[in-house]
Every structure is written in structure tokens, then in C-alpha cells.
Amino acid sequence: MRYLFLGPLAMTVVLFQVAAAPYFPLMGATANPLLALLMCWAMVRGPREAMILIPLTAVFKDLITNDPVGVSVLAMLPIVPLAAVRERHPTQSEFVPTVAVVAVASLCYHLVYMVVLTSLGEDVPWLQSPVEVLLPAALLDAVLTPLFYLPLLLVTTVTESRARLRVTG
Amino acid sequence: MRTLVWVLAAAFLALITILLSQKGALDPLRNVALTVVSPLERGVRNVAEPVADALDRIAERQDLEEENRQLRRQIEELRSQIADLSEQQALSEGLQELLEVQEGRPDDQFLVARVIAKDPSNLKERIAIDRGSDDGVAEGMVVMSAANSLVGVVSSALNDFAWVTLITDPNSSVNAMVMESRTQGVVSGTLHNGLRMELLPQDTEVEPGSTVATSGLGGNFPDALLIGEVVSVQGSPQDIFQKAEVQPAADLARLENVLVLISFQPARLDHTP
């Protein structure tokens, strides 16, 4: 049931990423709100739901862009192990680690993406990319984290406390 | 363990879909997806573009006054240059091509297309247009701006849509010529809307402000198609070649409509022996 509500939300983020994000570059880099959303999702709600949402949203994104279908799935795979590692080492502060993990996921995303493009025979500017793509994109995606983290945390907290009330009541 | 199995399975399926995608097996699915999504994308773009413009204006307001002064000076200089050019037109055949670039290409046939999407990745410079193979668009066709300057090349054509690789894409390279000095080189894309002209012989003079157009060599582009203007020239006397930074003539970040040149058959499309 939750996917009926949250799935379309993720699709809307894909649409925003494809249609609007290129108009708001920072230091030449374009944000990847889908990656930030899915990473926050995996951190707040656990990697299990992300395992379903990553293939769905990433394939949808690839279908409406010029990327080979599947490249975004590969590039977003590190989200799940990153969230799983985080689950095993819980700390008191949740937000700061999430921001850091989003930045790491962004770096992983672009590295995997560049490897796939290179293997498909496309020219990828490896030398320019650390300064012009990887770092600005990681920074930009990290800046987006609160936009997704806080609403997800709120929704999750509310739904979980309602579920707990139902059980105890 | 479950995570590892999922990662491996997802990676395996992703690799299969990438291969299918490269073979074009998923093109009908892409066409359907773009057909469904393009009106929504257009709606989001129509909202995002004015917001981005407004933010740009706020950010650039401090530079506007200085830019305005510079532009006024440039207008004066350009008016004076136009007067000079008018006189030289009759005498100089070399300048004729440059003028033709600016006057447009009345003999060519174009297909007007609307830009419906931009590639959101940080590593590619590509746009989607609302014309595809059903409209006569084919891979390799040349795409121009409404002001007749080079925009890019059709890199994949679906039934109703096509993806255009912009000249600023790192995969793009165009045989080009500096019109004033007739120096030939290759214009390649760099990241973030940049162009670089390479293989310029050291013994030729290339000045900032020079006009760069296609040379027609190789037959992939028509000749004398405006690309942009030289912004700066780099290279020490020890180098074999000079490099020049080129500012694209078309505003590639804000394209709304483009022209697909259907009357010109690029060499890569010509399969006749």
C-alpha cells in the first residue's frame, strides 16, 4: 500500500530531475535529486524498500533520458550496501551520517556511470571530472539531503507511532 | 547475505538491459515512455525555466551594468565594422563565406523541432526533440539553431523523438575553420557548454573574436555553418599546435526550437559506394 503512495512521489522526483534539474546547475554540475531521495529513503526506512524503488525509478529515468537502460540501476546499486553498513553501525546522530553517505553515494554513482559509459565506447573526460563533476555533484547532492531526509523522517515517525498505537490499543 | 544476492541480481539484470538497450531492442519502450512523459516534462520545464531565469538575473544583476556598458561599446565597434565590411564585400571573396553564414542558408530544407528534454547527467550534453524517424529524422543528421548556427548531430532517432548530441558534448568533434585566417582545426566539446578548437597550426594567427565555422571536411557537416567565436588562444611557441577556447554561437543551455537539416546528407549516412 505504501508503494502506491510513495512510488509516484519517487517518479515525480525523476521527472523533476530530468525536466528541471538541468536548469539549476551549481559550479556546472547538475543535481541528482533521485539519488539523494533514494539514499535518504534507505537510511531512514531501511534498505529493503530501496531495493524495490531503485530498479523501478532508475529504469524509468533511463527510459526517458538518453542513457542506456540499466546504467542508472548499476550506478545506484551502492546505495543498498551503504545503507546496510550504516544499519550495522548506528550512531546517535542520524542526519550528519546521512549527508555524508549521500555524498559518498553521489561519488559512487558518477564513478560507476563513467565506467559504464567508457566501456560502451563513449568519451568520458576522466581527468576533468574530479573537479568539474564528481566533487560539485557530491556537494550539490549533499545539500539536497535535508529536502528529502526531514519529510521522510517525519512521515516514517508518524506512521510508525500510529502502528505502535494500533498494536498496544 | 540478502543484500549481496540483491546487488548481484540487480547488477546482472542491469547489464542485460544495457546490452538490449545498445542493440535498440528497448527503443519502442523508450518511445512509449517519452510519449507519455513529454507533456509532463514540458510542463515542468515551463515552470522551471522562468524560475531559473529569475535566479540567474538576481545573481547576475551586479554584472549587468558593466556588461551593458561593454555591449554599448561593442555595438559602436560593430557598426563601424559593418560599414567596413560592406565596402570590402565586393572585393573580398574570402569574406563572402562568412557573410553567407550570417545571412542564412536559403537553399537548405529544415524540419522544425521542439526541444522536449535535456539529458540530466553531468557527463553528457544532449537534448531530446519531438521529431523522430517517422518525420524523416535519421541518426547523423545535422541540427541547427533558429539563427542558423550549429547545435549538434542526431545521435539516436526513435519513432517520434530523437536525441541530439550537442557540439559541447565531450563525444562531439567537428572539422572547423577560423573564417578570417582560413585556419583549419577540430572543434570538440568540453564539459559544461564549452568548446575547444584544437590542431591549429602554430604558424597561423588566430585572434580572439574570430568567427569559427564548419570546414565541410569529411562530409559530415555542410561547410560554412557558424559554430561560434574564438574567446582565447592558448599555446606556447614550443607546442606543435595551438588551442582556442570557442564560445558557441547558439545559446545551447536555453534552446527551445531547433532545425534539423534534412536536405544535407552527411557522409556517415551515405552508404552508397
Side-chain angles (χ1 to χ4, degrees), chain A residues 15 17-20 22-24 28-30 48 51 54-55 60-71 73-74 77 80-81 110 113-114 116-117 120 122-123 125 128 132-133 137, chain B residues 2-3 6-7 10-11 14-15 17-18 21-22 26 29-30 33-34 37 40-41 44-45 48-49 51-52 55 117-124 126 155-156 163 170-171 190-192 253-254:
Chain A
L15 195 61
Q17 177 173 341
V18 173
Y23 288 99
F24 303 96
T30 303
R48 200 172 158 188
M51 287 178 180
I54 286 171
F60 176 58
K61 180 191 157 276
D62 287 345
L63 281 174
I64 61 171
T65 63
N66 193 34
D67 291 330
V69 179
V71 67
V73 178
L74 270 186
L77 285 185
V80 173
H110 283 96
Y113 189 78
M114 285 159 68
V116 175
L117 288 187
L120 292 175
E122 298 220 23
D123 281 342
Q128 286 171 275
E132 294 195 25
V133 175
Chain B
R2 191 186 58 190
T3 305
W6 180 86
V7 168
L15 288 171
T17 52
I18 288 171
S21 182
Q22 288 300 99
L26 300 177
L29 200 58
R30 279 178 184 275
L34 273 171
V37 169
L40 296 171
E41 265 193 82
V44 176
R45 271 165 55 91
E49 211 167 359
V51 174
L55 288 174
K118 282 170 143 182
D119 193 292
S121 85
N122 286 309
L123 295 155
K124 293 191 272 186
R126 290 173 200 181
S155 49
S156 69
W163 282 95
N171 283 283
T190 61
L191 288 171
H192 313 322
R254 293 279 190 276

Coordinates of all heavy atoms in Angstrom, one line a residue, chain A residues 15 17-20 22-24 28-30 48 51 54-55 60-71 73-74 77 80-81 110 113-114 116-117 120 122-123 125 128 132-133 137, chain B residues 2-3 6-7 10-11 14-15 17-18 21-22 26 29-30 33-34 37 40-41 44-45 48-49 51-52 55 117-124 126 155-156 163 170-171 190-192 253-254:
Chain A
L15 N 11.0 12.9 -12.7 CA 10.5 13.8 -13.7 C 11.2 15.2 -13.4 O 11.6 15.9 -14.4 CB 9.0 13.9 -13.6 CG 8.3 14.6 -14.8 CD1 8.5 13.9 -16.1 CD2 6.8 14.7 -14.5
Q17 N 13.9 15.7 -11.9 CA 15.4 15.6 -12.2 C 15.7 15.8 -13.7 O 16.6 16.5 -14.1 CB 15.9 14.3 -11.7 CG 17.4 14.1 -12.1 CD 18.0 12.9 -11.5 OE1 17.4 12.3 -10.5 NE2 19.1 12.5 -12.0
V18 N 14.8 15.1 -14.5 CA 15.0 15.2 -15.9 C 14.7 16.5 -16.5 O 15.4 17.1 -17.4 CB 14.2 14.0 -16.6 CG1 14.3 14.1 -18.1 CG2 14.8 12.7 -16.2
A19 N 13.5 17.1 -16.1 CA 13.0 18.3 -16.7 C 13.5 19.6 -16.1 O 13.6 20.6 -16.8 CB 11.5 18.2 -16.7
A20 N 13.7 19.6 -14.8 CA 14.0 20.9 -14.2 C 15.5 21.0 -13.7 O 16.1 22.1 -13.7 CB 13.1 21.1 -13.0
P22 N 18.4 20.3 -14.8 CA 19.5 20.9 -15.6 C 19.4 22.4 -15.6 O 20.4 23.1 -16.0 CB 19.2 20.3 -17.0 CG 18.5 19.0 -16.8 CD 17.7 19.3 -15.5
Y23 N 18.3 23.0 -15.2 CA 18.2 24.5 -15.2 C 18.8 25.1 -14.0 O 18.9 26.3 -13.9 CB 16.8 24.9 -15.3 CG 16.2 24.7 -16.7 CD1 15.4 23.6 -17.0 CD2 16.5 25.6 -17.8 CE1 14.9 23.3 -18.2 CE2 16.0 25.3 -19.0 CZ 15.2 24.2 -19.3 OH 14.8 24.0 -20.5
F24 N 19.2 24.3 -13.0 CA 19.7 24.8 -11.7 C 21.1 24.2 -11.4 O 21.3 23.5 -10.4 CB 18.7 24.5 -10.6 CG 17.4 25.1 -10.8 CD1 16.4 24.3 -11.3 CD2 17.1 26.4 -10.6 CE1 15.1 24.8 -11.6 CE2 15.8 26.9 -10.8 CZ 14.8 26.1 -11.3
G28 N 28.5 24.3 -12.4 CA 28.5 23.5 -13.6 C 27.9 22.1 -13.5 O 27.6 21.5 -14.5
A29 N 27.6 21.7 -12.3 CA 27.1 20.3 -12.1 C 25.6 20.4 -11.9 O 25.1 21.3 -11.3 CB 27.8 19.7 -10.9
T30 N 25.0 19.3 -12.3 CA 23.5 19.2 -12.1 C 23.2 18.2 -11.0 O 23.9 17.2 -10.8 CB 22.9 18.6 -13.4 OG1 23.2 19.5 -14.5 CG2 21.4 18.5 -13.3
R48 N 15.5 -2.2 2.6 CA 14.6 -3.2 1.9 C 13.7 -2.5 0.9 O 13.5 -3.0 -0.2 CB 13.7 -3.8 3.0 CG 13.1 -5.1 2.6 CD 12.5 -5.8 3.7 NE 11.5 -6.8 3.3 CZ 10.7 -7.4 4.1 NH1 10.7 -7.2 5.4 NH2 9.8 -8.2 3.6
M51 N 15.4 -1.4 -2.2 CA 15.7 -2.4 -3.2 C 14.6 -2.5 -4.2 O 14.9 -3.0 -5.3 CB 15.8 -3.8 -2.4 CG 17.1 -3.9 -1.6 SD 17.0 -5.5 -0.8 CE 18.5 -5.5 0.1
I54 N 14.7 1.4 -6.2 CA 15.9 1.7 -7.1 C 15.7 1.2 -8.5 O 15.8 2.0 -9.5 CB 17.2 1.2 -6.5 CG1 17.6 2.0 -5.3 CG2 18.3 1.1 -7.5 CD1 18.8 1.4 -4.4
P55 N 15.4 -0.1 -8.7 CA 15.2 -0.5 -10.1 C 14.1 0.2 -10.8 O 14.2 0.6 -12.0 CB 14.9 -2.0 -10.0 CG 15.3 -2.4 -8.6 CD 15.2 -1.2 -7.8
F60 N 12.9 3.8 -15.1 CA 12.1 4.9 -15.6 C 12.9 6.1 -16.0 O 12.7 6.6 -17.1 CB 11.1 5.3 -14.5 CG 10.2 6.4 -14.8 CD1 9.3 6.4 -16.0 CD2 10.2 7.6 -14.1 CE1 8.5 7.4 -16.3 CE2 9.3 8.7 -14.4 CZ 8.5 8.6 -15.5
K61 N 13.9 6.4 -15.2 CA 14.8 7.6 -15.6 C 15.5 7.3 -16.9 O 15.6 8.1 -17.8 CB 15.8 7.9 -14.5 CG 16.7 9.0 -14.8 CD 17.8 9.1 -13.8 CE 19.0 9.9 -14.4 NZ 19.8 9.0 -15.2
D62 N 16.1 6.1 -17.0 CA 16.8 5.8 -18.2 C 15.9 5.7 -19.5 O 16.4 6.1 -20.6 CB 17.5 4.4 -18.1 CG 18.7 4.5 -17.1 OD1 19.1 5.6 -16.8 OD2 19.2 3.4 -16.6
L63 N 14.7 5.3 -19.3 CA 13.8 5.3 -20.4 C 13.5 6.6 -21.0 O 13.3 6.8 -22.2 CB 12.4 4.6 -20.0 CG 12.5 3.1 -20.0 CD1 11.1 2.5 -19.4 CD2 12.7 2.4 -21.3
I64 N 13.5 7.6 -20.1 CA 13.1 9.0 -20.6 C 14.3 9.9 -20.8 O 14.2 11.1 -21.1 CB 12.1 9.7 -19.7 CG1 12.6 9.9 -18.3 CG2 10.8 8.9 -19.7 CD1 11.7 10.7 -17.4
T65 N 15.5 9.3 -20.7 CA 16.7 10.0 -21.0 C 17.5 9.3 -22.1 O 17.0 8.2 -22.5 CB 17.6 10.2 -19.8 OG1 18.1 9.0 -19.3 CG2 16.9 11.0 -18.7
N66 N 18.7 9.7 -22.4 CA 19.5 9.1 -23.5 C 20.4 8.0 -22.9 O 21.2 7.5 -23.7 CB 20.3 10.2 -24.1 CG 20.9 9.8 -25.4 OD1 20.3 9.0 -26.1 ND2 22.0 10.2 -25.8
D67 N 20.3 7.7 -21.6 CA 21.2 6.7 -21.1 C 20.8 5.3 -21.5 O 19.6 5.1 -21.7 CB 21.1 6.8 -19.5 CG 21.8 8.1 -19.0 OD1 22.7 8.6 -19.7 OD2 21.3 8.5 -18.0
P68 N 21.7 4.4 -21.7 CA 21.4 3.0 -21.9 C 20.5 2.5 -20.7 O 20.9 2.8 -19.6 CB 22.7 2.3 -21.9 CG 23.7 3.3 -22.2 CD 23.2 4.6 -21.6
V69 N 19.4 1.8 -21.0 CA 18.5 1.4 -19.9 C 19.3 0.4 -19.0 O 19.8 -0.6 -19.5 CB 17.2 0.8 -20.5 CG1 16.3 0.3 -19.4 CG2 16.5 1.8 -21.4
G70 N 19.3 0.8 -17.8 CA 20.0 -0.1 -16.8 C 21.3 0.5 -16.2 O 21.7 0.2 -15.1
V71 N 21.8 1.6 -16.9 CA 23.0 2.2 -16.3 C 22.8 2.9 -15.0 O 23.6 2.8 -14.1 CB 23.6 3.2 -17.4 CG1 22.8 4.4 -17.6 CG2 25.0 3.6 -16.9
V73 N 20.5 1.9 -12.8 CA 20.4 0.9 -11.8 C 21.7 0.5 -11.3 O 22.0 0.4 -10.1 CB 19.7 -0.4 -12.4 CG1 19.5 -1.5 -11.3 CG2 18.3 0.0 -12.9
L74 N 22.7 0.3 -12.2 CA 24.0 -0.1 -11.8 C 24.6 1.0 -10.9 O 25.3 0.7 -9.9 CB 24.9 -0.3 -13.0 CG 25.0 -1.6 -13.7 CD1 26.0 -1.6 -14.8 CD2 25.4 -2.7 -12.7
L77 N 23.3 1.1 -7.4 CA 23.4 -0.1 -6.5 C 24.1 0.2 -5.2 O 23.8 -0.4 -4.2 CB 24.1 -1.2 -7.3 CG 23.3 -1.9 -8.4 CD1 24.1 -3.1 -9.0 CD2 22.0 -2.5 -7.8
V80 N 22.4 0.6 -1.6 CA 21.9 -0.5 -0.7 C 23.0 -1.0 0.3 O 22.8 -1.0 1.5 CB 21.3 -1.7 -1.5 CG1 21.0 -2.8 -0.6 CG2 20.0 -1.2 -2.2
P81 N 24.2 -1.3 -0.2 CA 25.2 -1.7 0.7 C 25.6 -0.5 1.7 O 25.9 -0.8 2.9 CB 26.4 -2.1 -0.1 CG 26.0 -1.9 -1.5 CD 24.6 -1.6 -1.6
H110 N 28.6 8.5 -9.9 CA 29.3 9.0 -11.1 C 30.4 8.1 -11.6 O 30.7 8.0 -12.8 CB 29.7 10.5 -10.8 CG 28.6 11.5 -10.9 ND1 28.0 11.9 -9.8 CD2 28.0 12.1 -11.9 CE1 27.0 12.8 -10.1 NE2 27.0 12.9 -11.4
Y113 N 28.9 5.2 -13.3 CA 28.3 5.8 -14.6 C 29.4 6.0 -15.6 O 29.3 5.6 -16.8 CB 27.6 7.1 -14.2 CG 26.8 7.7 -15.3 CD1 25.5 7.2 -15.6 CD2 27.2 8.8 -16.0 CE1 24.7 7.8 -16.6 CE2 26.5 9.4 -17.0 CZ 25.2 8.9 -17.3 OH 24.5 9.5 -18.3
M114 N 30.5 6.6 -15.2 CA 31.6 6.8 -16.1 C 32.3 5.5 -16.6 O 32.7 5.4 -17.7 CB 32.7 7.7 -15.4 CG 32.2 9.2 -15.2 SD 33.1 10.1 -13.9 CE 34.7 10.2 -14.6
V116 N 30.7 2.7 -16.9 CA 29.8 2.1 -17.9 C 29.9 2.8 -19.3 O 30.0 2.2 -20.3 CB 28.4 2.1 -17.4 CG1 27.4 1.5 -18.5 CG2 28.3 1.2 -16.2
L117 N 29.9 4.1 -19.2 CA 30.0 4.9 -20.5 C 31.3 4.6 -21.2 O 31.3 4.4 -22.4 CB 29.9 6.4 -20.2 CG 28.5 6.9 -19.8 CD1 28.5 8.5 -19.7 CD2 27.4 6.5 -20.7
L120 N 31.2 1.4 -22.9 CA 30.3 1.4 -24.1 C 30.9 2.2 -25.2 O 30.3 2.4 -26.3 CB 28.9 2.0 -23.7 CG 28.1 1.1 -22.8 CD1 26.8 1.9 -22.4 CD2 27.7 -0.2 -23.4
E122 N 32.1 5.4 -25.1 CA 31.9 6.9 -25.1 C 33.1 7.6 -24.6 O 33.8 7.0 -23.7 CB 30.6 7.3 -24.3 CG 29.4 6.7 -24.9 CD 28.2 7.6 -24.8 OE1 28.4 8.8 -24.8 OE2 27.1 7.2 -24.9
D123 N 33.4 8.8 -25.0 CA 34.5 9.5 -24.5 C 34.1 10.1 -23.2 O 33.1 10.9 -23.1 CB 34.9 10.7 -25.4 CG 35.7 10.1 -26.6 OD1 36.2 9.0 -26.4 OD2 35.8 10.8 -27.6
P125 N 35.4 12.4 -20.0 CA 36.5 13.3 -19.5 C 37.0 12.9 -18.1 O 36.7 13.6 -17.2 CB 36.0 14.7 -19.6 CG 34.5 14.5 -19.5 CD 34.1 13.1 -20.0
Q128 N 39.1 15.7 -16.2 CA 38.4 16.9 -15.8 C 37.4 16.6 -14.7 O 37.0 17.4 -13.9 CB 37.6 17.5 -17.0 CG 38.4 18.2 -18.0 CD 37.6 18.5 -19.2 OE1 37.4 17.7 -20.1 NE2 37.0 19.7 -19.2
E132 N 35.3 19.0 -12.0 CA 34.2 19.6 -12.6 C 32.9 18.8 -12.5 O 31.8 19.3 -12.7 CB 34.5 19.7 -14.1 CG 35.6 20.7 -14.4 CD 35.7 21.2 -15.8 OE1 34.7 21.1 -16.5 OE2 36.8 21.6 -16.2
V133 N 33.0 17.5 -12.1 CA 31.8 16.7 -12.0 C 31.6 16.1 -10.6 O 30.7 16.4 -9.8 CB 31.7 15.6 -13.0 CG1 30.5 14.7 -12.8 CG2 31.6 16.2 -14.4
A137 N 29.1 17.7 -7.9 CA 27.8 16.9 -7.8 C 27.6 16.3 -6.4 O 26.5 16.3 -5.9 CB 27.9 15.8 -8.8
Chain B
R2 N 21.4 -11.3 2.0 CA 20.3 -11.0 1.2 C 20.6 -9.8 0.3 O 20.3 -9.7 -0.9 CB 19.0 -10.7 2.0 CG 17.8 -10.5 1.3 CD 16.6 -10.1 2.2 NE 17.0 -8.8 2.8 CZ 16.3 -8.2 3.8 NH1 15.2 -8.9 4.3 NH2 16.6 -7.1 4.3
T3 N 21.4 -8.8 1.0 CA 21.8 -7.6 0.3 C 22.7 -8.0 -0.9 O 22.6 -7.5 -2.0 CB 22.5 -6.6 1.2 OG1 21.6 -6.4 2.3 CG2 22.9 -5.3 0.5
W6 N 20.8 -9.5 -3.7 CA 20.1 -8.5 -4.5 C 21.0 -7.7 -5.3 O 20.7 -7.4 -6.5 CB 19.4 -7.6 -3.5 CG 18.6 -6.5 -4.2 CD1 17.3 -6.6 -4.6 CD2 19.0 -5.2 -4.5 NE1 16.9 -5.4 -5.3 CE2 18.0 -4.5 -5.2 CE3 20.2 -4.5 -4.3 CZ2 18.1 -3.2 -5.7 CZ3 20.3 -3.2 -4.8 CH2 19.3 -2.6 -5.5
V7 N 22.1 -7.3 -4.8 CA 23.1 -6.4 -5.6 C 23.5 -7.2 -6.8 O 23.6 -6.7 -7.9 CB 24.3 -6.0 -4.7 CG1 25.4 -5.4 -5.6 CG2 23.9 -5.0 -3.7
A10 N 20.6 -7.6 -9.3 CA 20.2 -6.3 -9.9 C 21.3 -5.9 -10.9 O 21.0 -5.4 -12.0 CB 20.1 -5.2 -8.9
A11 N 22.6 -6.2 -10.6 CA 23.7 -5.8 -11.5 C 23.6 -6.7 -12.8 O 23.8 -6.2 -13.9 CB 25.0 -6.0 -10.8
A14 N 20.7 -5.4 -14.8 CA 21.1 -4.1 -15.4 C 22.0 -4.3 -16.6 O 21.8 -3.6 -17.6 CB 21.7 -3.2 -14.3
L15 N 23.0 -5.2 -16.5 CA 23.9 -5.4 -17.6 C 23.1 -6.0 -18.8 O 23.4 -5.6 -20.0 CB 25.0 -6.4 -17.2 CG 26.0 -5.8 -16.2 CD1 27.0 -6.9 -15.7 CD2 26.8 -4.7 -16.9
T17 N 19.9 -5.4 -19.5 CA 19.1 -4.4 -20.2 C 20.0 -3.4 -20.9 O 19.6 -2.8 -21.9 CB 18.3 -3.6 -19.1 OG1 19.1 -3.2 -18.0 CG2 17.1 -4.5 -18.6
I18 N 21.2 -3.1 -20.4 CA 22.2 -2.2 -21.1 C 22.5 -2.8 -22.5 O 22.5 -2.1 -23.5 CB 23.5 -2.0 -20.3 CG1 23.2 -1.1 -19.0 CG2 24.5 -1.3 -21.1 CD1 24.3 -1.0 -18.1
S21 N 19.5 -2.5 -24.6 CA 19.4 -1.1 -25.0 C 20.3 -0.7 -26.1 O 20.0 0.0 -27.0 CB 19.6 -0.3 -23.7 OG 19.4 1.1 -23.9
Q22 N 21.6 -1.2 -26.0 CA 22.6 -0.9 -27.0 C 22.2 -1.4 -28.4 O 22.5 -0.9 -29.4 CB 23.9 -1.4 -26.6 CG 24.6 -0.6 -25.5 CD 24.8 0.8 -25.8 OE1 24.0 1.7 -25.4 NE2 25.8 1.1 -26.5
L26 N 15.1 -1.9 -26.9 CA 14.2 -1.2 -26.0 C 13.7 0.1 -26.5 O 13.0 0.9 -25.8 CB 14.9 -1.0 -24.6 CG 15.3 -2.2 -23.9 CD1 16.1 -1.9 -22.6 CD2 14.1 -3.1 -23.6
L29 N 10.0 0.8 -26.3 CA 9.6 1.1 -24.9 C 9.9 2.6 -24.6 O 9.2 3.3 -23.9 CB 10.3 0.2 -24.0 CG 9.7 0.0 -22.6 CD1 8.3 -0.5 -22.6 CD2 10.6 -1.0 -21.8
R30 N 11.1 3.0 -25.0 CA 11.6 4.4 -24.8 C 10.6 5.4 -25.5 O 10.3 6.4 -24.9 CB 12.9 4.6 -25.4 CG 14.1 4.1 -24.6 CD 15.4 4.4 -25.5 NE 16.6 3.9 -24.8 CZ 17.2 4.6 -23.9 NH1 16.9 5.8 -23.5 NH2 18.3 4.1 -23.4
A33 N 7.5 5.6 -23.5 CA 7.8 6.3 -22.2 C 7.9 7.8 -22.5 O 7.3 8.7 -21.8 CB 9.0 5.8 -21.6
L34 N 8.6 8.2 -23.6 CA 8.7 9.6 -23.9 C 7.4 10.2 -24.3 O 7.1 11.4 -24.0 CB 9.7 9.8 -25.0 CG 11.2 9.9 -24.5 CD1 12.2 9.9 -25.7 CD2 11.4 11.2 -23.7
V37 N 5.5 10.8 -21.1 CA 6.1 11.7 -20.2 C 6.4 13.1 -20.8 O 6.4 14.1 -20.0 CB 7.4 11.1 -19.6 CG1 8.2 12.1 -18.9 CG2 7.1 9.9 -18.8
L40 N 4.3 16.1 -19.6 CA 4.6 16.4 -18.2 C 5.9 17.1 -18.1 O 6.1 18.1 -17.4 CB 4.6 15.1 -17.4 CG 3.3 14.4 -17.3 CD1 3.5 13.0 -16.6 CD2 2.3 15.2 -16.5
E41 N 6.9 16.6 -18.9 CA 8.2 17.2 -18.8 C 8.2 18.7 -19.3 O 8.8 19.5 -18.7 CB 9.2 16.4 -19.8 CG 10.0 15.4 -19.1 CD 11.1 14.9 -20.0 OE1 12.1 15.6 -20.1 OE2 10.9 13.9 -20.6
V44 N 6.8 20.8 -16.6 CA 7.8 21.1 -15.5 C 8.9 22.1 -16.1 O 9.3 23.0 -15.4 CB 8.5 19.8 -15.1 CG1 9.6 20.1 -14.1 CG2 7.5 18.9 -14.5
R45 N 9.3 21.9 -17.3 CA 10.3 22.8 -17.9 C 9.7 24.2 -18.0 O 10.4 25.2 -17.7 CB 10.6 22.3 -19.4 CG 11.7 21.4 -19.4 CD 11.7 20.7 -20.8 NE 11.8 21.7 -21.9 CZ 12.9 22.1 -22.4 NH1 14.1 21.7 -22.0 NH2 12.9 22.9 -23.4
A48 N 10.1 25.6 -14.6 CA 11.5 25.7 -14.2 C 12.3 26.8 -14.9 O 13.1 27.4 -14.3 CB 12.2 24.3 -14.3
E49 N 12.0 26.9 -16.2 CA 12.8 27.8 -17.0 C 12.7 29.3 -16.5 O 13.7 29.9 -16.2 CB 12.4 27.7 -18.4 CG 13.6 28.0 -19.4 CD 13.3 27.6 -20.8 OE1 12.2 27.1 -21.1 OE2 14.2 27.8 -21.6
V51 N 11.8 30.3 -13.6 CA 12.4 30.4 -12.2 C 13.9 30.5 -12.3 O 14.6 31.3 -11.7 CB 12.0 29.2 -11.4 CG1 12.7 29.2 -10.0 CG2 10.5 29.2 -11.1
A52 N 14.5 29.6 -13.2 CA 16.0 29.6 -13.4 C 16.4 30.9 -13.9 O 17.4 31.5 -13.5 CB 16.4 28.5 -14.3
L55 N 16.4 33.5 -11.2 CA 17.5 33.3 -10.3 C 18.8 33.8 -10.9 O 19.7 34.4 -10.3 CB 17.7 31.8 -9.9 CG 16.6 31.3 -8.9 CD1 16.8 29.8 -8.7 CD2 16.7 32.0 -7.6
A117 N 13.4 17.8 -23.9 CA 14.1 17.4 -22.7 C 15.6 17.6 -22.9 O 16.1 17.7 -24.0 CB 13.9 15.9 -22.4
K118 N 16.3 17.7 -21.7 CA 17.8 17.7 -21.7 C 18.3 16.5 -21.0 O 17.6 16.1 -20.0 CB 18.2 19.0 -21.0 CG 18.1 20.3 -21.7 CD 18.3 21.4 -20.7 CE 19.1 22.5 -21.3 NZ 19.4 23.5 -20.4
D119 N 19.4 16.0 -21.4 CA 20.0 14.9 -20.6 C 20.4 15.5 -19.2 O 21.2 16.5 -19.2 CB 21.2 14.3 -21.3 CG 21.6 13.0 -20.7 OD1 22.1 13.0 -19.6 OD2 21.4 12.0 -21.3
P120 N 20.0 14.9 -18.1 CA 20.3 15.5 -16.8 C 21.6 15.0 -16.3 O 22.0 15.5 -15.2 CB 19.2 14.9 -15.9 CG 18.8 13.6 -16.6 CD 19.1 13.7 -18.0
S121 N 22.4 14.2 -17.0 CA 23.6 13.7 -16.4 C 24.7 14.8 -16.5 O 24.6 15.8 -17.3 CB 24.1 12.5 -17.2 OG 24.9 12.9 -18.3
N122 N 25.7 14.7 -15.7 CA 26.8 15.7 -15.7 C 27.8 15.4 -16.7 O 28.8 16.2 -16.8 CB 27.4 15.7 -14.3 CG 26.5 16.4 -13.3 OD1 26.0 17.5 -13.5 ND2 26.2 15.7 -12.2
L123 N 27.7 14.3 -17.4 CA 28.8 13.9 -18.3 C 28.4 14.0 -19.8 O 29.3 13.7 -20.6 CB 29.3 12.5 -18.0 CG 29.9 12.4 -16.6 CD1 29.8 11.0 -16.0 CD2 31.3 12.9 -16.6
K124 N 27.2 14.3 -20.1 CA 26.8 14.4 -21.5 C 26.0 15.7 -21.7 O 25.4 16.3 -20.8 CB 25.9 13.2 -21.8 CG 26.6 11.9 -21.7 CD 25.7 10.8 -22.3 CE 24.8 10.2 -21.3 NZ 24.1 9.0 -21.8
R126 N 23.2 16.5 -24.1 CA 22.3 16.1 -25.1 C 20.9 16.6 -24.9 O 20.5 16.9 -23.7 CB 22.3 14.5 -25.2 CG 23.6 14.0 -25.8 CD 23.8 12.6 -25.7 NE 25.2 12.3 -25.8 CZ 25.8 11.1 -25.9 NH1 25.0 10.1 -25.8 NH2 27.0 11.0 -26.0
S155 N 21.9 11.8 -32.5 CA 22.7 10.6 -32.1 C 21.8 9.4 -32.0 O 22.3 8.2 -32.2 CB 23.4 10.9 -30.8 OG 22.5 11.4 -29.8
S156 N 20.5 9.5 -31.8 CA 19.6 8.4 -31.9 C 18.2 8.8 -32.3 O 17.8 9.9 -31.7 CB 19.6 7.5 -30.6 OG 19.0 8.3 -29.6
W163 N 17.3 12.0 -30.0 CA 18.3 12.6 -29.1 C 19.4 13.2 -30.0 O 19.8 12.6 -30.9 CB 18.9 11.5 -28.2 CG 17.9 11.2 -27.1 CD1 17.0 10.2 -27.0 CD2 17.8 11.9 -25.8 NE1 16.3 10.2 -25.8 CE2 16.8 11.2 -25.1 CE3 18.3 13.0 -25.3 CZ2 16.3 11.7 -23.8 CZ3 17.9 13.5 -24.0 CH2 16.9 12.8 -23.3
P170 N 31.3 16.0 -24.8 CA 32.7 15.5 -24.9 C 32.9 14.5 -26.1 O 34.1 14.4 -26.5 CB 33.0 14.8 -23.6 CG 32.0 15.4 -22.6 CD 30.8 15.8 -23.4
N171 N 31.9 13.9 -26.5 CA 32.0 13.0 -27.7 C 31.9 13.6 -29.0 O 32.1 13.0 -30.0 CB 30.9 11.9 -27.6 CG 31.2 10.9 -26.5 OD1 32.0 10.0 -26.7 ND2 30.5 11.0 -25.4
T190 N 33.7 20.3 -24.5 CA 34.3 20.0 -23.2 C 33.1 20.0 -22.3 O 31.9 20.1 -22.8 CB 35.2 21.2 -22.8 OG1 34.5 22.4 -22.8 CG2 36.4 21.3 -23.7
L191 N 33.3 19.8 -21.0 CA 32.1 19.8 -20.1 C 31.5 21.2 -20.0 O 32.2 22.1 -20.1 CB 32.6 19.2 -18.8 CG 32.9 17.8 -18.7 CD1 33.5 17.4 -17.4 CD2 31.6 16.9 -18.9
H192 N 30.3 21.2 -19.6 CA 29.6 22.4 -19.2 C 29.6 23.5 -20.3 O 30.1 24.6 -20.1 CB 30.1 23.0 -17.9 CG 30.3 21.9 -16.9 ND1 29.4 20.9 -16.7 CD2 31.3 21.7 -16.0 CE1 29.8 20.2 -15.7 NE2 30.9 20.6 -15.3
A253 N 22.2 26.3 -23.7 CA 21.5 26.0 -22.4 C 20.1 26.4 -22.5 O 19.3 26.0 -21.6 CB 22.3 26.7 -21.3
R254 N 19.7 27.2 -23.4 CA 18.3 27.7 -23.4 C 17.6 27.4 -24.8 O 16.8 28.2 -25.2 CB 18.3 29.2 -23.2 CG 18.8 29.6 -21.8 CD 17.6 29.5 -20.8 NE 17.9 30.1 -19.5 CZ 18.6 29.5 -18.6 NH1 19.0 28.2 -18.8 NH2 18.9 30.1 -17.5

